Amino acid sequence: APGPARPVAALPASAPVAAVPPHAPVGPPGAVLGRTPHEPGTPAAEVRTAEARDVVATIRRAVAERWQVDDGHHGWRTATLGDITILVPARTSLPYLEDALAEAAIPYRAEASSLVYASRAVRDLLMALRAVADPTDELRIVSALRTPLFGCGDDDLHRFRVERGGWWSYLGDQPQTVPADDPVALGLAALRRWHHARHWASPSVLLERIVTDRRAMELAFVEGRPRDVWRRIRFVVDQARAWSEATGGDLRDYLEWVDLQTVEGARVAEAVLPETDDDAVRIMTIHAAKGLEFPITILSGLSSRPRTAPRPGDARFPAEGGVAYYLGRNAETPEFTATRPVDEQMSHDERLRLLYVATTRARDHLVVSLHRAARKGAPGSPTTRTSAEVLAEGMGDALLAELPDGVGPDVDALATPAPHPVAPPEPFMAWIEAYERTRRAAHRPTTVAATTLTDEGRPDVEAPDDLGGDDGTARPEPADAGNQLLLDFDADADADAAGPRREPELDRSPDGSDAGLRKRPRDLDRPPWLKGRYGTAVGRAVHGVLQTVALDADPGAGEVDDAVAAQCQAEAVPERAGTVRSLVALALGSPSVVEASTAPHWREIYACAPVGDRLLEGYVDLLYRGPDGLVVVDYKTAATAAPAELDRRVEGYRTQGASYALAVGRTTGEDVVRVTFCFLTPEGVVERHLDDVPVAVAEVESALLADTAAPG
């Protein structure tokens, strides 16, 4: 059918722009690459390789000749790699640019999502994901195994399939001739694990598992630009997570969506967040560069021929009304045939608009690549010519002759930067040892609670109620395992601790006793008056009363009774009020508390001090200034006043008391002259002092520093 008789005005009338920015003092404002076309019939790969080589030479020239760019504030300055941007209309030429830039040791980064999906690391990642999605696609399975993620060479694949008789399906077991440590068999086992998890894990979770299990982040060091690869992988995983949250689709739906992002000609304009602290050449699509401006712009990748044939299943809506369909070759409606010339003209005009956008992104220097293969016959219609041909024709011979070459006459004299030498990897076992040391150091807490530095606070010892049952009878405590310095954040203690809390115990312990009276840690959701205490319910109530009442208060006064009732209610042991009251009376009558009541004193005071690269912290029950210096008092409830048992407990609490003295001394700049453990027992109050405080403090400090030097 003939085309429309009326002309189609798809472009607005052009108007000249009079304003001309000042030219840079160094470097041409405009230049071309590939002025002379290649021989007719030159393969497209050869044209793109030559174009990428010229682009790299132009970058080297700009840096070597110190082209000037306007910084917008202080005038002209020397251009850096971060001032250079390569614009491409599509992803076709990206692999050639990557190869040329990597060979010249020029750092670069792709800053459009459509380019990110076309990069090698992301392609390898998606290839593994496609193999996971379809266990019957042997080509994709083998292709995934050949990627660096699995590291299977052709020799490994040949040995697995031909010599050992393995098969490519990862759903079934391999024959007995395939050893368990075969690299291909191990790769297939990983694919099987991810395939079984695909129904329970979102695509983003699967991607994260592949990245972690196959060391994708570590493999980025091989490419020489690890942070660029990390950024691409993070971007793809983040997009997969956003896609899952928006659609809730499965793995195959996600891969179909990825295909739409990577199809040639897709209008993907979203730009990846730029990294302004990275001095590297930027590669962007023209669509992603809309609205932006760059000091030096190199327009490349214009040698691809435009696609003129419609895709099967295309539909158009003519101006006259109705719908025109194209279902394939020899299967189109007459209305669709009539719209062909109009659509081709519209596509050509859209290409011109895109070229206008690309050429106006340059602020100081514009380099346009005209690499193209010459035609054997007639030049053809404008709609079938490449963008390079359209630009060359639009410039005309006169303007083209005036523009200098972007490569320059002395490109061979420019020194190519030497690539960074790649050091051989360390022995595998040495790497494993270093990895284990790093892992242990990472798991080691940076804060140590004083109450964990005691045998009495070991998490694997079920400590009974200190004071016995509800009838007030005493129960003997289990024998201790001996004095040992414990640097365990989860150890529970008799008094305070600043470490992480455990889940709360059940209401009743297995033996039927009140679990609330057992010395186990509480969780994080407890009320403020319980925070920082891991002792028994009775012990915590005693500490709470001694924290609030005056040290010189009368044990029989109403103030003490009210505090006891409140603390017992808070600990859910109101029936133990009598026991708590008697213990408080013992504490208030102890020699140290009596002495502290007439001197400057502080209760439940927080003390912390750095020791090496860790922080030692704790809450001191009572700190006061005695005649000779600072004194630390720590209340302890005990089931017996037997001297041998108290001696054993003092030895068990030695490192805890010394850690209090260390933290207080470091914080105040004063020495702690005495550390006293005030044991409240059914027989009365017994005070025991820590022998040789300076020696004990030195032992704690030495142990912490040794643990810092050799974690784990």
Side-chain angles (χ1 to χ4, degrees):
R6 56 184 176 81
V8 178
L11 290 175
S14 61
V17 178
V20 178
H23 291 172
V26 180
V32 295
L33 303 175
R35 184 190 312 273
T36 304
H38 297 261
E39 293 295 329
T42 303
E46 184 176 335
V47 174
R48 291 166 184 154
T49 301
E51 180 182 48
R53 187 168 54 246
D54 282 356
V55 169
V56 168
T58 302
I59 296 173
R60 290 166 52 199
R61 177 191 177 190
V63 175
E65 294 182 355
R66 302 173 66 87
W67 287 8
Q68 299 294 296
V69 297
D70 186 5
D71 64 359
H73 300 285
H74 306 287
W76 301 99
R77 61 170 176 81
T78 301
T80 63
L81 292 177
D83 296 319
I84 303 174
T85 300
I86 303 174
L87 297 183
V88 293
R91 298 167 298 277
T92 310
S93 60
L94 179 61
Y96 302 92
L97 287 172
E98 288 183 327
D99 289 339
L101 292 169
E103 184 179 357
I106 296 177
Y108 68 92
R109 63 179 184 268
E111 286 196 356
S113 59
S114 54
L115 299 182
V116 169
Y117 282 104
S119 60
R120 288 188 185 88
V122 176
R123 288 201 308 266
D124 294 342
L125 196 60
L126 294 176
M127 182 61 70
L129 206 59
R130 289 187 171 93
V132 170
D134 188 357
T136 64
D137 195 334
E138 296 184 353
L139 177 60
R140 284 180 172 170
I141 293 176
V142 174
S143 299
L145 293 172
R146 294 184 74 250
T147 64
L149 296 175
F150 295 89
C152 297
D154 292 339
D155 54 341
D156 297 320
L157 298 172
H158 180 272
R159 185 185 310 109
F160 171 80
R161 185 69 181 90
V162 178
E163 298 179 8
R164 296 175 175 174
W167 43 74
W168 303 123
S169 174
Y170 54 73
L171 295 182
D173 296 332
Q174 296 295 331
Q176 297 294 331
T177 53
V178 178
D181 60 349
D182 186 276
V184 179
L186 295 175
L188 292 173
L191 292 174
R192 179 172 61 250
R193 290 196 304 271
W194 301 329
H195 178 76
H196 292 330
R198 73 192 188 283
H199 292 307
W200 314 104
S202 64
S204 62
V205 172
L206 285 176
L207 282 172
E208 289 176 339
R209 289 184 182 178
I210 296 175
V211 169
T212 303
D213 293 348
R214 310 316 299 182
R215 309 291 187 189
M217 294 297 193
E218 289 83 347
L219 288 172
F221 285 98
V222 179
E223 298 195 17
R225 288 281 299 161
R227 62 182 295 170
D228 194 40
V229 178
W230 297 339
R231 179 180 53 81
R232 296 174 188 175
I233 293 176
R234 288 195 299 265
F235 174 78
V236 171
V237 174
D238 289 343
Q239 271 209 329
R241 186 179 299 110
W243 179 89
S244 298
E245 293 174 354
T247 65
D250 58 13
L251 179 58
R252 296 201 176 191
D253 294 335
Y254 168 72
L255 292 174
E256 291 178 359
W257 177 80
V258 169
D259 291 337
L260 294 178
Q261 310 308 304
T262 58
V263 68
E264 196 65 45
R267 295 295 190 263
V268 182
E270 61 271 22
V272 181
L273 183 65
E275 299 184 16
T276 56
D277 62 335
D278 188 20
D279 187 23
V281 175
R282 305 165 69 180
I283 305 177
M284 302 180 68
T285 61
I286 300 175
H287 287 287
K290 290 181 179 179
L292 302 178
E293 195 177 57
F294 315 104
I296 301 176
T297 301
I298 302 176
L299 183 56
S300 177
L302 305 179
S303 60
S304 299
R305 298 186 182 275
R307 180 183 179 90
T308 57
R311 292 180 174 85
D314 196 1
R316 295 173 183 167
F317 303 89
E320 295 80 7
V323 183
Y325 296 100
Y326 176 82
L327 303 178
R329 205 168 184 181
N330 301 323
E332 60 181 285
T333 62
E335 294 80 7
F336 190 92
T337 305
T339 62
R340 275 180 179 270
V342 177
D343 187 74
E344 291 176 357
Q345 183 63 37
M346 291 289 187
S347 298
H348 176 66
D349 294 339
E350 174 63 22
R351 185 155 53 117
L352 293 180
R353 282 190 286 265
L354 193 63
L355 291 175
Y356 173 80
V357 170
T359 54
T360 54
R361 298 309 93 196
R363 190 180 67 196
D364 302 313
H365 305 275
L366 173 64
V367 181
V368 178
S369 172
L370 300 178
H371 276 274
R372 65 208 183 275
R375 293 179 179 267
K376 295 181 179 179
S381 65
T383 58
T384 61
R385 299 177 192 173
T386 65
S387 297
E389 291 176 317
V390 171
L391 278 176
E393 181 182 357
M395 292 180 183
D397 295 338
L399 178 60
L400 197 56
E402 294 178 5
L403 292 174
D405 287 330
V407 175
D410 300 326
V411 63
D412 295 334
L414 297 177
T416 302
H420 297 289
V422 179
E426 60 180 336
F428 181 70
M429 293 309 300
W431 181 87
I432 287 293
E433 293 176 0
Y435 167 76
E436 289 297 333
R437 289 195 301 269
T438 304
R439 186 182 63 82
R440 289 195 299 267
H443 282 275
R444 184 175 59 104
T446 58
T447 304
V448 178
T451 49
T452 63
L453 307 182
T454 169
D455 288 342
E456 301 295 328
R458 304 181 68 171
D460 54 343
V461 176
E462 289 292 345
D465 175 15
D466 279 344
L467 298 178
D470 292 346
D471 56 358
T473 58
R475 295 175 184 167
E477 289 187 299
D480 205 339
N483 183 30
Q484 179 183 4
L485 179 63
L486 298 180
L487 301 179
D488 185 355
F489 223 27
D490 286 333
D492 71 275
D494 176 69
D496 60 282
R501 280 41 166 181
R502 287 198 178 138
E503 292 298 323
E505 299 284 345
L506 298 176
D507 291 339
R508 303 295 296 179
S509 58
D511 59 0
S513 61
D514 190 346
L517 301 181
R518 300 174 62 198
K519 288 172 56 175
R520 305 299 296 166
R522 293 287 190 93
D523 61 6
L524 287 172
D525 298 327
R526 54 188 184 173
W529 59 84
L530 292 182
K531 292 184 182 295
R533 293 250 166 240
Y534 282 174
T536 65
V538 171
R540 288 193 299 270
V542 172
H543 280 81
V545 174
L546 293 175
Q547 180 181 348
T548 57
V549 301
L551 296 184
D552 57 355
D554 182 1
E559 173 191 359
V560 176
D561 290 339
D562 293 341
V564 168
Q567 291 297 328
C568 289
Q569 190 66 36
E571 294 292 344
V573 286
E575 71 281 0
R576 305 298 296 275
T579 302
V580 172
R581 185 181 299 104
S582 63
L583 293 174
V584 170
L586 291 175
L588 293 177
S590 65
S592 296
V593 174
V594 171
E595 184 180 40
S597 65
T598 59
H601 63 270
W602 304 267
R603 291 179 289 180
E604 285 299 316
I605 183 172
Y606 175 75
C608 66
V611 181
D613 63 348
R614 311 178 75 178
L615 187 67
L616 177 64
E617 65 176 5
Y619 285 87
V620 179
D621 291 342
L622 175 61
L623 175 67
Y624 71 94
R625 180 170 284 110
D628 301 323
L630 295 178
V631 178
V632 170
V633 179
D634 196 26
Y635 305 123
K636 302 293 184 185
T637 54
T640 178
E645 179 62 21
L646 294 184
D647 290 341
R648 182 193 65 81
R649 294 195 63 181
V650 169
E651 185 62 24
Y653 288 123
R654 175 182 175 83
T655 51
Q656 178 188 353
S659 65
Y660 286 147
L662 174 59
V664 171
R666 287 280 183 89
T667 304
T668 62
E670 302 181 37
D671 293 334
V672 175
V673 297
R674 193 176 84 232
V675 176
T676 298
F677 297 105
C678 185
F679 289 100
L680 311 178
T681 74
E683 291 83 6
V685 60
V686 180
E687 287 191 353
R688 292 295 181 91
H689 308 303
L690 186 63
D691 295 333
D692 203 346
V693 174
V695 173
V697 169
E699 291 174 356
V700 171
E701 184 176 10
S702 176
L704 288 173
L705 292 176
D707 182 72
T708 299

